[in-house]
Amino acid sequence: AGSALAGAGLVLLFFIGPALRPRLDHSAMRARGWRRHVIRSAALLLRLFVPALAAGLIVGGYLALDLDLHVIRDTRSTAVMVAVLMVGASWVADLVFAPGAPERRAIALDENMARIGRRICLVLGAILSLQGVLEAAARYYDFAPATRSIVSGLIVFAGSAGLLRIASLLLRADADAGAARGRSEKDRQVDFLHLLARLVQVSATAALVAVAIGYVSFARQALDPMILTLALIALCFTCYRGLIYLARLVLARPGQGDGPLLIMLPLVFGLVIILAVQPMLALAWGAQFSDLTEIWVALVQGVVIGGTRISIGSLSVLLAVFLIGIVATRWLQRLLSQAVLPRTRLDQGGQNAVLTGVGYGGVTLSALVAVSMAGLDLSNLAIVAGALSVGIGFGLQAIVSNFVSGIILLVERPIKEGDWIEVSGQ
């Protein structure tokens, strides 16, 4: 039974999965409308589900065989660890390089380079797996220090070579993308992809130098976190593209440009993903879980500024209530402009005045309600705000004067749309 499970997993991993993926990609390219989105989503899930199922079958077959390894006693956790790393490496490789599907490729590479990049990702996953197996074996078997150094050094050397190759692929993709946009070499040196590639080169070179002079443990500290960091960046970029894709699918209107919401959503998604990945990056680079717990407790409890305690909870409530108020205000403005005001006797200028007043009032009310719901006491900051308002008033008095004049024009309406205005004979 164990051999059958392991064999089924190998067949699924090396034959069935590679045969299904190109067919789904080809079907997604030919489909139109909602069927295209469904097939693309199914292909994305298949790239994770098939390797995960195959790894589960292989691990289940291995455990069913009940092999007695004298070097590694805790074979269950080790097998699961290896399966997770290899499945993750395979999925990240397919998401980033996407051999056979250039429209889904995260970086601009030709088909040959994409296949090379995928193989390197699998090699890096295997290197992490080998290091995990070596650590598991070292807990139950007393290896000679020289033996551990030699084996670890060979693994680090292979991993560093893989990272250098990945860095060259990133630099090539950055150069091709920069040339397509007409950017110079100096301008491309500040691109994220260029900086990431240089950082990978520095980390891999440091690992090679450390291995050469005998500091194998330091070399691993320069190698392993960088591999995990690249995987996290790839996952973050994939999540970002997926969120943007879903937002355009739900909010975009055919024949119209991107509205303000679609323009701002990429920035919001990027900030949320960057903040969410920080704990995982900290763990990858050696932080302890207890350190993250202390930071989280400090964020939840908040800090006191001017007698007001500001925490992550109060800020979340503040932003959520304010955004709900803004959405409700926009909805009310749309309702008035489409269903209420056209039935009144107000001319177009009067309708615009009403809609503008509702917008100002809604934003002000949303801000006040949000501050109240968040439980922030801003009375202690009133003196500081008053002092700042005096200085800001002197610097921005022309802008404030124009704004107030606009409000007066909206309320008193001495002129309206359709009137002729003469200024200096014009």
Side-chain angles (χ1 to χ4, degrees):
S3 300
L5 286 176
L10 292 174
V11 171
L12 182 62
L13 182 63
F14 292 105
F15 296 99
I16 298 179
L20 286 177
R21 287 194 293 266
R23 294 185 179 182
L24 281 177
D25 292 333
H26 185 64
S27 300
M29 293 178 62
R30 293 187 302 172
R32 293 294 181 269
W34 63 270
R35 294 182 68 248
R36 178 183 179 90
H37 305 305
V38 172
I39 296 176
R40 287 186 64 180
S41 302
L44 182 63
L45 293 176
L46 181 68
R47 292 178 182 275
L48 175 63
F49 177 74
V50 170
L53 179 60
L57 292 175
I58 295 173
V59 172
Y62 170 74
L63 297 178
L65 291 175
D66 196 19
L67 297 178
D68 184 17
L69 298 180
H70 298 285
V71 177
I72 305 176
R73 299 180 184 178
D74 191 7
T75 57
R76 294 179 181 271
S77 61
T78 304
V80 171
M81 179 268 297
V82 172
V84 169
L85 288 175
M86 292 308 301
V87 169
S90 175
W91 194 46
V92 169
D94 284 330
L95 290 176
V96 175
F97 297 101
E103 72 280 355
R104 293 192 301 100
R105 201 163 292 157
I107 55 179
L109 291 173
D110 56 35
E111 184 65 24
N112 184 39
M113 291 294 100
R115 295 185 183 278
I116 293 175
R118 184 181 185 278
R119 288 196 292 267
I120 295 174
C121 285
L122 294 178
V123 170
L124 293 178
I127 287 172
L128 290 179
S129 300
L130 287 176
Q131 289 183 348
V133 171
L134 182 62
E135 290 181 355
R139 288 196 295 266
Y140 301 103
Y141 187 81
D142 189 15
F143 290 105
T147 302
R148 292 190 59 180
S149 297
I150 293 175
V151 175
S152 297
L154 293 175
I155 294 175
V156 170
F157 180 81
S160 300
L163 283 182
L164 290 175
R165 185 57 173 157
I166 288 289
S168 66
L169 292 178
L170 294 178
L171 289 175
R172 179 170 180 175
D174 179 68
D176 293 341
R181 295 194 300 265
R183 303 190 67 186
S184 63
E185 178 66 23
K186 184 177 181 180
D187 294 333
R188 292 200 300 269
Q189 290 179 358
V190 297
D191 288 345
F192 174 76
L193 204 60
H194 186 92
L195 295 176
L196 179 62
R198 295 304 183 190
L199 182 61
V200 171
Q201 286 180 336
V202 170
S203 179
T205 304
L208 288 175
V209 173
V211 167
I213 61 178
Y215 291 94
V216 179
S217 298
F218 177 79
R220 290 192 54 187
Q221 294 301 319
L223 178 70
D224 296 354
M226 181 52 64
I227 296 176
L228 295 176
T229 299
L230 289 176
L232 287 175
I233 292 175
L235 290 177
C236 289
F237 184 73
T238 302
C239 292
Y240 176 79
R241 292 180 63 186
L243 290 174
I244 298 299
Y245 174 75
L246 291 176
R248 292 186 180 277
L249 183 63
V250 174
L251 300 177
R253 297 181 179 179
Q256 299 183 6
D258 293 343
L261 185 58
L262 281 177
I263 294 175
M264 291 300 298
L265 277 180
L267 176 61
V268 175
F269 289 155
L271 291 176
V272 171
I273 291 175
I274 290 174
L275 292 176
V277 80
Q278 295 306 309
M280 291 180 282
L281 284 176
L283 290 175
W285 285 94
Q288 300 296 324
F289 188 76
S290 58
D291 300 332
L292 300 180
T293 304
E294 293 178 0
I295 295 175
W296 176 254
V297 170
L299 291 175
V300 171
Q301 292 179 351
V303 295
V304 179
I305 301 177
T308 301
R309 181 173 294 276
I310 300 177
S311 64
I312 189 173
S314 61
L315 290 178
S316 300
V317 172
L318 177 69
L319 293 176
V321 174
F322 183 71
L323 290 177
I324 292 174
I326 294 297
V327 172
T329 301
R330 297 292 181 265
W331 178 82
L332 180 59
Q333 286 179 307
R334 180 177 298 180
L335 177 64
L336 290 175
S337 63
Q338 296 179 357
V340 177
L341 293 178
R343 300 181 182 181
T344 63
R345 296 182 179 180
L346 289 175
D347 55 18
Q348 188 63 37
Q351 294 181 20
N352 291 334
V354 172
L355 292 176
T356 304
V358 170
Y360 288 144
V363 172
T364 303
L365 184 61
S366 300
L368 294 176
V369 173
V371 171
S372 177
M373 293 291 293
L376 299 179
D377 184 12
L378 302 182
S379 59
N380 294 326
L381 300 179
I383 299 176
V384 178
L388 290 176
S389 63
V390 174
I392 294 175
F394 281 112
L396 304 178
Q397 56 183 347
I399 298 177
V400 174
S401 175
N402 290 331
F403 179 77
V404 174
S405 299
I407 297 295
I408 294 173
L409 289 175
L410 288 175
V411 174
E412 295 185 356
R413 299 185 60 212
I415 56 176
K416 62 181 182 296
E417 188 172 330
D419 291 346
W420 287 88
I421 303 174
E422 181 179 345
V423 179
S424 300
Q426 303 293 327

